[in-house]
Amino acid sequence: QAEAINIMPAIIGGSLVGIDKSNQNGMNWVAMSKDFFNLENGQNVYLNGYLTTSGNDWWYDLMPNVYFYQLKSLYPDAAPEFSTQFISVADRWLWAVHQLGGSTTPWSIPNMNYRAFNLATGQPLDESVPEPESAGSIAWLLYNAYLETGSRKYFEGAQLAMDFLARWETNPSYELQLPYGTLAAARLNAIE
């Protein structure tokens, strides 16, 4: 039993303090994290387990992708799969934004006030405590995909997610996803 939300941040943390996690005692811990990419079951994103499904909790569904983007930034060539996985993650979460009502023609802000989104069924989970701050993580992912690829669709997806979050009148923070939205908003405002 392993959890991406524990393993991947440990690799990132070690890297940030100067330990090369792509070659530590002959082990490439960075490349091994690719096992959290759920390809076989058609999810095509990083999830908290090696073979799991999305749709129960945005925190467990989104944060492994955020950590993957951070790992890829630190180690762009650690695994040959990273490039295609990077695009797959962006495309899948952009699709979620569109499934939740986000559109650029005409501009329509998605409703992201759900507990989770199931990437297999295309349906949100509206039971239990909603996690609207997940729009911040999605915006962060899509904006970073835009910076990496230059593809306008990711920039627009990030804007749609941020527009949803910006309309929130109370603090939606449940876990650590809101700071990623704050960072995305600051970068979008400063740079774009």
Side-chain angles (χ1 to χ4, degrees):
Q1 184 69 22
E3 287 191 277
I5 61 169
N6 297 319
I7 293 171
M8 295 173 82
I11 296 168
I12 294 163
S15 302
L16 292 175
V17 297
I19 301 168
D20 182 357
K21 301 304 278 185
S22 69
N23 186 13
Q24 183 184 23
N25 301 325
M27 299 292 292
N28 187 340
W29 298 101
V30 179
M32 289 191 313
S33 69
K34 70 180 171 25
D35 292 343
F36 288 107
F37 187 80
N38 281 244
L39 177 65
E40 289 181 24
N41 61 9
Q43 297 289 303
N44 296 314
V45 295
Y46 277 76
L47 294 171
N48 198 42
Y50 296 129
L51 188 62
T52 189
T53 57
S54 60
N56 293 311
D57 190 312
W58 252 332
W59 153 256
Y60 291 107
D61 296 344
L62 284 166
M63 291 313 298
N65 296 284
V66 169
Y67 299 140
F68 163 63
Y69 270 31
Q70 292 171 338
L71 279 176
K72 186 179 179 307
S73 174
L74 292 166
Y75 302 95
D77 301 317
E81 301 90 342
F82 276 7
S83 293
T84 56
Q85 290 174 351
F86 184 91
I87 298 299
S88 180
V89 164
D91 286 343
R92 296 294 281 154
W93 291 116
L94 179 61
W95 178 73
V97 169
H98 291 151
Q99 287 295 109
L100 294 171
S103 175
T104 58
T105 54
W107 194 265
S108 178
I109 298 170
N111 178 11
M112 303 177 84
N113 189 27
Y114 296 104
R115 175 67 178 200
F117 181 83
N118 189 311
L119 290 166
T121 66
Q123 297 298 312
L125 176 65
D126 59 4
E127 300 171 3
S128 191
V129 177
E131 297 179 18
E133 74 279 10
S134 299
S137 295
I138 291 174
W140 185 90
L141 286 166
L142 294 176
Y143 184 61
N144 279 285
Y146 164 71
L147 292 174
E148 177 87 10
T149 67
S151 179
R152 185 99 181 132
K153 67 182 181 180
Y154 302 133
F155 177 74
E156 292 168 345
Q159 286 182 303
L160 287 166
M162 286 309 309
D163 281 356
F164 165 78
L165 199 54
R167 292 174 52 189
W168 211 254
E169 295 183 10
T170 58
N171 182 352
S173 187
Y174 170 67
E175 288 282 358
L176 84 100
Q177 295 185 83
L178 189 58
Y180 286 96
T182 303
L183 180 58
R187 290 180 73 191
L188 283 164
N189 286 336
I191 298 170
E192 308 299 337

PDB file of all heavy atoms in Angstrom, residues 111-124:
ATOM      1  N   ASN A 111     -19.347  25.212 -12.872  1.00  0.00           N
ATOM      2  CA  ASN A 111     -19.714  25.023 -11.478  1.00  0.00           C
ATOM      3  C   ASN A 111     -18.810  23.933 -10.922  1.00  0.00           C
ATOM      4  O   ASN A 111     -18.926  22.773 -11.305  1.00  0.00           O
ATOM      5  CB  ASN A 111     -21.182  24.610 -11.332  1.00  0.00           C
ATOM      6  CG  ASN A 111     -21.550  24.353  -9.877  1.00  0.00           C
ATOM      7  OD1 ASN A 111     -20.794  24.670  -8.965  1.00  0.00           O
ATOM      8  ND2 ASN A 111     -22.708  23.767  -9.665  1.00  0.00           N
ATOM      9  N   MET A 112     -17.925  24.291 -10.035  1.00  0.00           N
ATOM     10  CA  MET A 112     -16.954  23.354  -9.492  1.00  0.00           C
ATOM     11  C   MET A 112     -17.164  23.127  -7.993  1.00  0.00           C
ATOM     12  O   MET A 112     -16.270  22.659  -7.295  1.00  0.00           O
ATOM     13  CB  MET A 112     -15.538  23.847  -9.803  1.00  0.00           C
ATOM     14  CG  MET A 112     -15.334  24.043 -11.304  1.00  0.00           C
ATOM     15  SD  MET A 112     -13.739  24.704 -11.756  1.00  0.00           S
ATOM     16  CE  MET A 112     -12.784  23.193 -11.775  1.00  0.00           C
ATOM     17  N   ASN A 113     -18.347  23.428  -7.507  1.00  0.00           N
ATOM     18  CA  ASN A 113     -18.649  23.289  -6.095  1.00  0.00           C
ATOM     19  C   ASN A 113     -19.123  21.867  -5.781  1.00  0.00           C
ATOM     20  O   ASN A 113     -20.274  21.626  -5.443  1.00  0.00           O
ATOM     21  CB  ASN A 113     -19.707  24.312  -5.675  1.00  0.00           C
ATOM     22  CG  ASN A 113     -19.890  24.357  -4.175  1.00  0.00           C
ATOM     23  OD1 ASN A 113     -18.969  24.050  -3.422  1.00  0.00           O
ATOM     24  ND2 ASN A 113     -21.072  24.737  -3.731  1.00  0.00           N
ATOM     25  N   TYR A 114     -18.205  20.927  -5.914  1.00  0.00           N
ATOM     26  CA  TYR A 114     -18.491  19.519  -5.685  1.00  0.00           C
ATOM     27  C   TYR A 114     -17.411  18.905  -4.810  1.00  0.00           C
ATOM     28  O   TYR A 114     -16.362  19.507  -4.595  1.00  0.00           O
ATOM     29  CB  TYR A 114     -18.558  18.763  -7.019  1.00  0.00           C
ATOM     30  CG  TYR A 114     -19.694  19.218  -7.896  1.00  0.00           C
ATOM     31  CD1 TYR A 114     -19.455  20.039  -8.998  1.00  0.00           C
ATOM     32  CD2 TYR A 114     -21.003  18.841  -7.619  1.00  0.00           C
ATOM     33  CE1 TYR A 114     -20.493  20.466  -9.803  1.00  0.00           C
ATOM     34  CE2 TYR A 114     -22.045  19.263  -8.423  1.00  0.00           C
ATOM     35  CZ  TYR A 114     -21.792  20.073  -9.508  1.00  0.00           C
ATOM     36  OH  TYR A 114     -22.821  20.508 -10.300  1.00  0.00           O
ATOM     37  N   ARG A 115     -17.656  17.703  -4.368  1.00  0.00           N
ATOM     38  CA  ARG A 115     -16.678  16.960  -3.572  1.00  0.00           C
ATOM     39  C   ARG A 115     -15.570  16.398  -4.464  1.00  0.00           C
ATOM     40  O   ARG A 115     -14.415  16.290  -4.056  1.00  0.00           O
ATOM     41  CB  ARG A 115     -17.379  15.810  -2.836  1.00  0.00           C
ATOM     42  CG  ARG A 115     -16.479  14.884  -2.073  1.00  0.00           C
ATOM     43  CD  ARG A 115     -15.848  15.582  -0.910  1.00  0.00           C
ATOM     44  NE  ARG A 115     -15.013  14.654  -0.141  1.00  0.00           N
ATOM     45  CZ  ARG A 115     -14.667  14.884   1.089  1.00  0.00           C
ATOM     46  NH1 ARG A 115     -15.070  15.965   1.713  1.00  0.00           N
ATOM     47  NH2 ARG A 115     -13.911  14.035   1.719  1.00  0.00           N
ATOM     48  N   ALA A 116     -15.958  16.026  -5.697  1.00  0.00           N
ATOM     49  CA  ALA A 116     -14.993  15.402  -6.597  1.00  0.00           C
ATOM     50  C   ALA A 116     -15.583  15.359  -8.000  1.00  0.00           C
ATOM     51  O   ALA A 116     -16.741  15.744  -8.225  1.00  0.00           O
ATOM     52  CB  ALA A 116     -14.665  13.988  -6.126  1.00  0.00           C
ATOM     53  N   PHE A 117     -14.773  14.874  -8.921  1.00  0.00           N
ATOM     54  CA  PHE A 117     -15.208  14.686 -10.301  1.00  0.00           C
ATOM     55  C   PHE A 117     -14.671  13.348 -10.785  1.00  0.00           C
ATOM     56  O   PHE A 117     -13.480  13.057 -10.645  1.00  0.00           O
ATOM     57  CB  PHE A 117     -14.690  15.820 -11.199  1.00  0.00           C
ATOM     58  CG  PHE A 117     -15.129  15.696 -12.618  1.00  0.00           C
ATOM     59  CD1 PHE A 117     -16.374  16.158 -13.005  1.00  0.00           C
ATOM     60  CD2 PHE A 117     -14.323  15.099 -13.556  1.00  0.00           C
ATOM     61  CE1 PHE A 117     -16.804  16.031 -14.321  1.00  0.00           C
ATOM     62  CE2 PHE A 117     -14.737  14.965 -14.875  1.00  0.00           C
ATOM     63  CZ  PHE A 117     -15.981  15.431 -15.256  1.00  0.00           C
ATOM     64  N   ASN A 118     -15.557  12.531 -11.346  1.00  0.00           N
ATOM     65  CA  ASN A 118     -15.173  11.211 -11.824  1.00  0.00           C
ATOM     66  C   ASN A 118     -14.752  11.302 -13.285  1.00  0.00           C
ATOM     67  O   ASN A 118     -15.560  11.602 -14.159  1.00  0.00           O
ATOM     68  CB  ASN A 118     -16.348  10.246 -11.660  1.00  0.00           C
ATOM     69  CG  ASN A 118     -15.971   8.826 -11.935  1.00  0.00           C
ATOM     70  OD1 ASN A 118     -15.355   8.513 -12.948  1.00  0.00           O
ATOM     71  ND2 ASN A 118     -16.342   7.935 -11.023  1.00  0.00           N
ATOM     72  N   LEU A 119     -13.487  11.048 -13.550  1.00  0.00           N
ATOM     73  CA  LEU A 119     -12.957  11.152 -14.904  1.00  0.00           C
ATOM     74  C   LEU A 119     -13.417  10.017 -15.810  1.00  0.00           C
ATOM     75  O   LEU A 119     -13.284  10.107 -17.027  1.00  0.00           O
ATOM     76  CB  LEU A 119     -11.432  11.213 -14.867  1.00  0.00           C
ATOM     77  CG  LEU A 119     -10.851  12.498 -14.303  1.00  0.00           C
ATOM     78  CD1 LEU A 119      -9.377  12.338 -13.979  1.00  0.00           C
ATOM     79  CD2 LEU A 119     -11.069  13.666 -15.248  1.00  0.00           C
ATOM     80  N   ALA A 120     -13.964   8.944 -15.248  1.00  0.00           N
ATOM     81  CA  ALA A 120     -14.479   7.845 -16.062  1.00  0.00           C
ATOM     82  C   ALA A 120     -15.903   8.114 -16.522  1.00  0.00           C
ATOM     83  O   ALA A 120     -16.254   7.861 -17.671  1.00  0.00           O
ATOM     84  CB  ALA A 120     -14.412   6.530 -15.285  1.00  0.00           C
ATOM     85  N   THR A 121     -16.720   8.672 -15.629  1.00  0.00           N
ATOM     86  CA  THR A 121     -18.137   8.896 -15.958  1.00  0.00           C
ATOM     87  C   THR A 121     -18.420  10.316 -16.427  1.00  0.00           C
ATOM     88  O   THR A 121     -19.467  10.569 -17.010  1.00  0.00           O
ATOM     89  CB  THR A 121     -19.029   8.606 -14.743  1.00  0.00           C
ATOM     90  OG1 THR A 121     -18.749   9.573 -13.708  1.00  0.00           O
ATOM     91  CG2 THR A 121     -18.814   7.191 -14.217  1.00  0.00           C
ATOM     92  N   GLY A 122     -17.515  11.245 -16.119  1.00  0.00           N
ATOM     93  CA  GLY A 122     -17.754  12.647 -16.464  1.00  0.00           C
ATOM     94  C   GLY A 122     -18.762  13.320 -15.548  1.00  0.00           C
ATOM     95  O   GLY A 122     -19.318  14.357 -15.894  1.00  0.00           O
ATOM     96  N   GLN A 123     -18.966  12.742 -14.361  1.00  0.00           N
ATOM     97  CA  GLN A 123     -19.963  13.264 -13.431  1.00  0.00           C
ATOM     98  C   GLN A 123     -19.310  13.740 -12.138  1.00  0.00           C
ATOM     99  O   GLN A 123     -18.382  13.102 -11.626  1.00  0.00           O
ATOM    100  CB  GLN A 123     -20.998  12.183 -13.098  1.00  0.00           C
ATOM    101  CG  GLN A 123     -21.810  11.731 -14.297  1.00  0.00           C
ATOM    102  CD  GLN A 123     -22.614  12.861 -14.896  1.00  0.00           C
ATOM    103  OE1 GLN A 123     -23.302  13.604 -14.203  1.00  0.00           O
ATOM    104  NE2 GLN A 123     -22.504  13.025 -16.208  1.00  0.00           N
ATOM    105  N   PRO A 124     -19.828  14.843 -11.572  1.00  0.00           N
ATOM    106  CA  PRO A 124     -19.322  15.310 -10.279  1.00  0.00           C
ATOM    107  C   PRO A 124     -19.963  14.540  -9.128  1.00  0.00           C
ATOM    108  O   PRO A 124     -21.032  13.936  -9.293  1.00  0.00           O
ATOM    109  CB  PRO A 124     -19.759  16.775 -10.257  1.00  0.00           C
ATOM    110  CG  PRO A 124     -21.012  16.796 -11.067  1.00  0.00           C
ATOM    111  CD  PRO A 124     -20.827  15.759 -12.146  1.00  0.00           C
TER     112      PRO A 124
END
